[in-house]
Amino acid sequence: MSYNIERDRNKLIAAYNTFIETNEVDESQLSESFLDIRNFVKTAYERYSKLSNKEYDIDLNLGLDLFDYLNSRSEFTQTIECDDDFWRNVAIYAIPDVIAKRHKTMNSAYYYSKNLRTYPSAIYWYINLSWQGNREDTYNILKNNSTDEIMQMVERPSTIGINLELNRKIMKKFSELPLDKKVIMVNGKPKKVFRLIFLKNTAKLATTRPEIYPGGVDGYVNMLFEDYL
Amino acid sequence: MKKIFNYFPILSDELMDDVFPNIEYSFFYEREKNNEESIDFDDSIGQNITLDTKHNDWNHADYDLKVKTEIHIDDASRLYGSYGIAPKESIIGMGIEYYSQKSRTREVEIFDNPIDDDEESWVYSLEHIIEKGSFISDVDISTFIFLQNSAKHVDQYSKHLNNEEGIILGTLDHRRLFLIGTGSLFPIFVENLEKDDRLWIFDIDYDNPELDKFSDCSKLILNSNHRDYKLINPREKCYCERLVLEIICNSLFMVFTKLKEEGYLEDIKSTYEDGSIMSLVSYYKDTLNVNFTSAKTIFDSLQDYSNKEYKNVI
């Protein structure tokens, strides 16, 4: 089985507009792979939206489930994982109604117009960039975060690619910070440490790499957090 | 545009050319277990490396790719000391970074042996495996040197040198390896022209388009001094791939209309010399359905093609 991915942007936008007008998903038009995704996500979303009315709780649990589910599928390869058109297809053809319920808006950014904000991609990559080897450990390091951390984490394109090990260690280290150390005052204004860490990382990557830093990736992560411990 | 200012000396072009005169790449794959075969490649087009997949079974989806990098070093002692880039008694290491923004991947490998402070000639070698299916279409390969160990003592004449471990001291080479597709169509050169010069200049000059290699006769020059260069520089956040494609389509339009004016498109055959200008015409006609009837049909069909498949052209 493989994903039949629509890449014509005009057709994607037309399908998105059709959903806005009709508010209906024509499941008969979905390939088996995308129909499976739709059924899985719909069921998971309904379950989590009943358990909690907090948007972050829904995103976190849905993201964990989606990560598990997609990585169990043989057709879901590393190249599909990074394919923006795949995520647009999921958002527009498979789960546009789920996105509409979750975000209570038809803002095109969550469907196709902003690659990194496409909803299924955002929650998937939030988990992928935080993954600790299993669902339970990953949940535990992420449970105290918010939708702000999702945005800060995934909406940060890098022209030199992503080091997954580095991101996952940053997330683990961040989860170990006491709550009262996750926001600091800078010039009298509260600043989120999570964002400051990633800004520092971007600045440091101009002149070094975690792999060559003293102590390797662990030493590099400790350096990123040294001002905030 | 982001600029990085270095307060310490880093690898200059002169030092680079003298100490690192040559970097060589070779590629291999395991066709069968314990049977490694080499893969030919073309690196004549700018910084691009395109693998020859016509004469072997290798493809990125089914096979890993071994990349072997050999770096020739002459008189590395020039890197150390007050006229170099690192203090005496420090140790300079080398590494290679493999990364892709599209594929959201970055890996770094370090050479086992650092660069010795001596006047000898050496060849350093590093092998790296690119796993099958790990990149969408291409991977950037950047070779660099860095301060692996700092000097315990820095003499008074070397205080201006960087002595911080882990700092990158310079980039030796940067390539883009195309794992899927044919890479860039023609040589692309980035030159520091006048600010008022055009953003891009395309030129083609041939004697016999049925025999002359397209990559030998054509070139696209990008003006890095132009204020809009950031839009066509893949390293910039505002990089616009669509604009690059428009430039390439316009360049191709120039090639095809020149051929048409000179009568070469009256009778297009299905086979020509590999890599020749007319082989490109044949490919665009048969595979990509470009209509060579008139200048307008050429233009329209190039635009149609680029609109559908722009991600695969460059």
Side-chain angles (χ1 to χ4, degrees):
Chain A
M1 203 154 60
S2 65
Y3 298 107
N4 294 325
I5 298 173
E6 175 60 68
R7 299 193 184 278
D8 186 324
R9 195 169 173 86
N10 290 331
K11 288 183 181 170
L12 286 168
I13 295 174
Y16 161 78
N17 288 329
T18 300
F19 176 73
I20 292 178
E21 287 166 27
T22 64
N23 207 36
E24 283 176 9
V25 177
D26 185 356
E27 293 184 354
S28 67
Q29 296 299 309
L30 293 178
S31 66
E32 192 179 336
S33 296
F34 282 115
L35 186 58
D36 285 346
I37 291 175
R38 171 172 175 73
N39 291 334
F40 179 84
V41 171
K42 269 187 67 178
T43 305
Y45 180 83
E46 273 155 38
R47 178 168 70 247
Y48 294 122
S49 58
K50 282 177 186 158
L51 289 173
S52 172
N53 56 11
K54 287 186 185 170
E55 291 172 341
Y56 178 72
D57 288 346
I58 295 171
D59 291 344
L60 173 59
N61 284 295
L62 188 56
L64 284 164
D65 280 7
L66 187 63
F67 183 83
D68 257 346
Y69 170 77
L70 288 173
N71 282 290
S72 70
R73 312 289 297 194
S74 59
E75 64 269 28
F76 186 75
T77 61
Q78 204 166 337
T79 50
I80 294 287
E81 184 182 65
C82 304
D83 189 339
D84 293 327
D85 281 332
F86 167 76
W87 295 112
R88 288 188 193 107
N89 274 242
V90 173
I92 292 173
Y93 292 113
I95 58 165
D97 46 349
V98 172
I99 299 174
K101 284 180 194 169
R102 162 59 186 87
H103 281 287
K104 302 175 182 56
T105 174
M106 290 304 302
N107 188 329
S108 62
Y110 299 117
Y111 294 84
Y112 69 89
S113 63
K114 287 194 189 295
N115 292 344
L116 301 172
R117 199 173 290 178
T118 307
Y119 183 66
S121 169
I123 58 173
Y124 175 90
W125 275 96
Y126 179 60
I127 301 304
N128 193 16
L129 294 170
S130 310
W131 189 247
Q132 300 296 304
N134 60 70
R135 193 188 203 284
E136 185 183 356
D137 289 347
T138 306
Y139 177 83
N140 284 334
I141 66 154
L142 297 179
K143 63 187 178 186
N144 293 320
N145 289 350
S146 68
T147 53
D148 203 42
E149 273 75 41
I150 297 180
M151 190 189 74
Q152 288 290 337
M153 178 73 132
V154 302
E155 292 187 25
R156 198 168 287 276
S158 169
T159 55
I160 57 170
I162 293 173
N163 180 326
L164 275 181
E165 182 194 359
L166 171 66
N167 275 268
R168 290 168 178 175
K169 289 192 171 182
I170 288 175
M171 293 308 283
K172 183 164 191 304
K173 190 84 176 173
F174 181 75
S175 74
E176 293 166 2
L177 279 182
L179 276 173
D180 61 345
K181 286 199 184 284
K182 290 190 174 178
V183 178
I184 61 170
M185 299 302 285
V186 177
N187 296 328
K189 292 182 182 174
K191 297 284 183 187
K192 290 198 171 186
V193 168
F194 191 78
R195 182 169 178 271
L196 295 175
I197 292 291
F198 279 98
L199 285 176
K200 189 174 178 182
N201 178 48
T202 301
K204 286 293 182 183
L205 286 178
T207 55
T208 187
R209 294 292 184 269
E211 295 86 348
I212 61 175
Y213 193 82
V217 177
D218 289 330
Y220 183 84
V221 171
N222 288 337
M223 174 273 295
L224 290 179
F225 280 85
E226 65 189 2
D227 298 330
Y228 309 110
L229 295 171
Chain B
M1 179 174 138
K2 180 175 71 175
K3 276 195 181 291
I4 298 165
F5 293 95
N6 276 296
Y7 295 108
F8 300 98
I10 56 171
L11 192 65
S12 65
D13 289 343
E14 183 192 346
L15 208 52
M16 165 74 206
D17 291 341
D18 289 346
V19 178
F20 304 96
N22 198 22
I23 296 176
E24 292 173 354
Y25 300 92
S26 48
F27 305 92
F28 307 88
Y29 78 112
E30 261 196 12
R31 193 159 170 265
E32 292 155 359
K33 199 165 181 183
N34 298 323
N35 179 16
E36 192 174 83
E37 288 190 14
S38 66
I39 305 173
D40 287 337
F41 62 96
D42 177 7
D43 64 348
S44 61
I45 301 176
Q47 294 174 324
N48 297 341
I49 296 178
T50 311
L51 299 173
D52 171 18
T53 54
K54 287 183 190 169
H55 302 104
N56 55 62
D57 296 330
W58 184 84
N59 66 80
H60 183 47
D62 299 323
Y63 296 96
D64 292 345
L65 177 70
K66 181 193 282 186
V67 182
K68 184 176 176 182
T69 307
E70 289 183 319
I71 300 177
H72 296 248
I73 295 180
D74 283 336
D75 189 8
S77 67
R78 292 185 56 194
L79 299 174
Y80 294 94
S82 56
Y83 291 106
I85 56 174
K88 288 276 186 190
E89 297 180 22
S90 70
I91 294 177
I92 298 173
M94 280 193 299
I96 303 182
E97 187 172 48
Y98 307 85
Y99 65 91
S100 164
Q101 181 180 7
K102 278 185 208 169
S103 304
R104 300 195 192 186
T105 304
R106 185 174 79 242
E107 301 170 46
V108 171
E109 287 217 42
I110 308 300
F111 283 71
D112 287 336
N113 298 314
I115 301 175
D116 287 329
D117 180 4
D118 62 33
E119 297 175 7
E120 305 294 322
S121 295
W122 298 98
V123 178
Y124 285 68
S125 178
L126 184 69
E127 292 180 354
H128 178 75
I129 301 292
I130 293 177
E131 291 181 4
K132 59 186 178 186
S134 54
F135 289 90
I136 289 179
S137 62
D138 52 74
V139 54
D140 283 85
I141 303 174
S142 181
T143 309
F144 62 91
I145 55 173
F146 68 100
L147 201 74
Q148 192 164 336
N149 292 101
S150 56
K152 288 191 171 52
H153 306 285
V154 179
D155 64 63
Q156 59 177 316
Y157 304 108
S158 301
K159 297 285 186 193
H160 62 292
L161 298 173
N162 201 325
N163 196 34
E164 188 177 338
E165 286 181 8
I167 290 294
I168 294 171
L169 298 170
T171 300
L172 305 182
D173 192 38
H174 174 253
R175 299 300 181 107
R176 179 164 287 180
L177 170 63
F178 286 86
L179 300 167
I180 295 169
T182 56
S184 184
L185 292 167
F186 29 66
I188 298 177
F189 299 95
V190 178
E191 292 182 10
N192 204 26
L193 305 176
E194 296 296 318
K195 274 187 183 172
D196 296 327
D197 277 340
R198 288 176 274 164
L199 175 61
W200 60 279
I201 301 166
F202 178 76
D203 192 34
I204 184 160
D205 187 17
Y206 53 78
D207 293 320
N208 184 346
E210 295 191 21
L211 296 174
D212 294 346
K213 277 191 80 170
F214 186 62
S215 56
D216 289 336
C217 302
S218 62
K219 65 178 174 183
L220 176 64
I221 298 171
L222 306 179
N223 181 3
S224 60
N225 211 9
H226 194 283
R227 65 176 187 178
D228 289 327
Y229 175 68
K230 58 183 176 290
L231 299 175
I232 55 176
N233 181 358
R235 289 176 170 267
E236 293 292 332
K237 279 188 179 173
C238 54
Y239 170 67
C240 177
E241 191 172 350
R242 187 57 199 245
L243 176 57
V244 174
L245 178 69
E246 291 294 326
I247 291 172
I248 290 183
C249 282
N250 273 274
S251 302
L252 286 171
F253 179 69
M254 286 168 57
V255 175
F256 295 151
T257 48
K258 178 179 165 66
L259 288 167
K260 184 147 185 77
E261 283 166 6
E262 294 172 356
Y264 287 108
L265 302 188
E266 297 305 316
D267 181 21
I268 302 171
K269 300 174 209 160
S270 55
T271 54
Y272 289 95
E273 186 78 12
D274 243 13
S276 67
I277 298 168
M278 288 307 295
S279 72
L280 184 80
V281 171
S282 177
Y283 172 75
Y284 270 80
K285 175 176 175 282
D286 294 337
T287 309
L288 303 178
N289 299 317
V290 172
N291 184 337
F292 290 102
T293 307
S294 66
K296 183 166 185 345
T297 60
I298 294 173
F299 182 81
D300 283 347
S301 40
L302 279 174
Q303 285 292 311
D304 285 346
Y305 163 70
S306 73
N307 218 28
K308 282 178 200 168
E309 301 285 340
Y310 79 92
K311 283 177 186 177
N312 296 323
V313 170
I314 188 170

